[in-house]
């Protein structure tokens, strides 16, 4: 009798084992499908993710722009409409990888460099005007160039330290103070620059013709 019970138990264990074994391949397949779905969802989420950067300076549309993670500065500048003609392209690291919340600034040419560029533009325009019909008025082209470059003024809300140092009476220390004030408050009008330590009415009067926002 005891031997019969042992056989029955052995048969029952074997049956249970066979039943469980029949479910294992199906369970493994379900697990693999679930892992694949999770991987696809992760890839889709990464593709839809965006980071926000602030593009400033000599670009067509300065401000906040969304780009794909891993993008470089050149992509952020393209999202901002590209550089303007007064951009100092040699001072922009286009290969820099962007991070969320960072600023990409495109410096402008200095007042001296803008004047040289404007003169070169005027010469180029004059040469081309002389080659076409006399009805074309050169003064109209020159006027357009002057409007584009704003007479080489320094823009307080986006100028670099080097550009600020070109203002009358502004050295390295004062330029740094201007940038620190800008980061804290920004400039709503050019007269706000007198809130910067070391800049009074007399110094403001000298630099006023060269200031812009």
């Amino acid at each position: 009798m005891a031997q019969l019970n042992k056989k029955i138990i052995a048969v029952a264990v074997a049956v249970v084992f066979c039943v469980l074994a029949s479910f294992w391949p199906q369970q493994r397949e379900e697990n693999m499908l679930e892992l694949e779905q999770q991987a696809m969802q992760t890839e889709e989420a990464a593709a839809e993710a965006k980071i926000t950067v602030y593009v400033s300076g000599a670009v067509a549309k300065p401000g906040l722009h969304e780009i794909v993670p891993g993008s470089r500065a050149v992509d952020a500048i393209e999202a901002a409409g590209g550089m303007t003609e007064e951009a100092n392209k040699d001072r922009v690291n286009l290969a820099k990888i962007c991070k969320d919340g960072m600023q990409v600034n495109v410096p402008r040419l200095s007042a001296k460099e803008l004047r040289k560029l404007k003169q070169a533009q005027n010469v180029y325009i004059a040469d081309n005007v002389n080659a076409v019909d006399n009805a074309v008025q050169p003064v109209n082209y020159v006027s357009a160039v002057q409007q584009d470059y704003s007479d080489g003024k320094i823009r307080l809300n986006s100028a670099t330290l080097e550009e600020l140092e070109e203002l009358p009476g502004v050295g390295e220390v004062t330029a740094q103070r201007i940038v620190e004030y800008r980061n804290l408050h920004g400039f709503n009008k050019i007269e706000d620059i007198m809130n910067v330590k070391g800049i009074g009415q007399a110094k403001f009067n000298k630099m006023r013709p060269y200031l812009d926002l």
Side-chain angles (χ1 to χ4, degrees):
M1 185 68 177
Q3 187 174 4
L4 179 60
N5 289 338
K6 289 181 180 179
K7 290 182 178 180
I8 293 173
I9 293 172
V11 171
V13 170
V15 170
V16 171
F17 179 81
C18 292
V19 171
L20 292 176
S22 66
F23 284 102
W24 285 348
Q26 181 180 357
Q27 185 64 36
R28 287 198 299 270
E29 185 177 353
E30 291 177 354
N31 290 340
M32 289 297 296
L33 289 173
E34 184 177 353
L35 290 174
E36 290 177 359
Q37 290 176 352
Q38 291 177 353
M40 291 176 62
Q41 291 173 354
T42 302
E43 291 178 358
E44 290 175 357
E48 295 175 357
K50 298 284 186 180
I51 62 173
T52 302
V53 296
Y54 176 62
V55 186
S56 61
V59 293
K61 296 182 292 184
L64 297 174
H65 295 278
E66 288 188 342
I67 55 178
V68 178
S71 298
R72 300 184 182 273
V74 64
D75 302 311
I77 293 171
E78 183 178 351
M83 300 183 191
T84 62
E85 291 186 1
E86 60 182 346
N88 192 337
K89 300 177 177 63
D90 295 334
R91 292 176 55 192
V92 185
N93 182 5
L94 298 176
K96 179 169 61 177
I97 297 178
C98 298
K99 297 180 180 179
D100 187 48
M102 74 177 291
Q103 178 179 0
V104 178
N105 183 60
V106 179
R108 290 182 170 84
L109 295 168
S110 66
K112 184 183 297 184
E113 290 170 329
L114 280 175
R115 284 193 293 270
K116 289 182 179 179
L117 180 61
K118 184 169 62 176
Q119 291 172 356
Q121 290 282 343
N122 290 343
V123 170
Y124 173 80
I125 291 170
D127 290 342
N128 282 274
V129 168
N130 291 334
V132 297
D133 195 320
N134 292 332
V136 178
Q137 298 297 323
V139 66
N140 294 335
Y141 288 88
V142 174
S143 175
V145 172
Q146 290 173 346
Q147 291 176 4
D148 287 342
Y149 296 104
S150 302
D151 296 327
K153 290 187 177 182
I154 302 298
R155 291 168 175 79
L156 293 177
N157 282 316
S158 58
T160 64
L161 284 171
E162 292 79 4
E163 291 171 342
L164 291 170
E165 289 176 20
E166 295 183 4
L167 292 169
V170 175
E172 183 178 351
V173 175
T174 304
Q176 184 61 46
R177 290 173 181 169
I178 294 173
V179 172
E180 291 173 356
Y181 179 89
R182 177 176 68 195
N183 292 338
L184 291 174
H185 309 286
F187 291 97
N188 296 317
K189 55 184 183 298
I190 61 174
E191 287 78 7
D192 289 345
I193 198 172
M194 287 188 286
N195 295 328
V196 177
K197 183 179 178 181
I199 300 179
Q201 185 68 52
K203 186 175 289 188
F204 171 72
N205 291 338
K206 292 180 180 179
M207 64 175 67
R208 183 170 189 166
Y210 308 100
L211 297 178
D212 198 352
L213 295 177

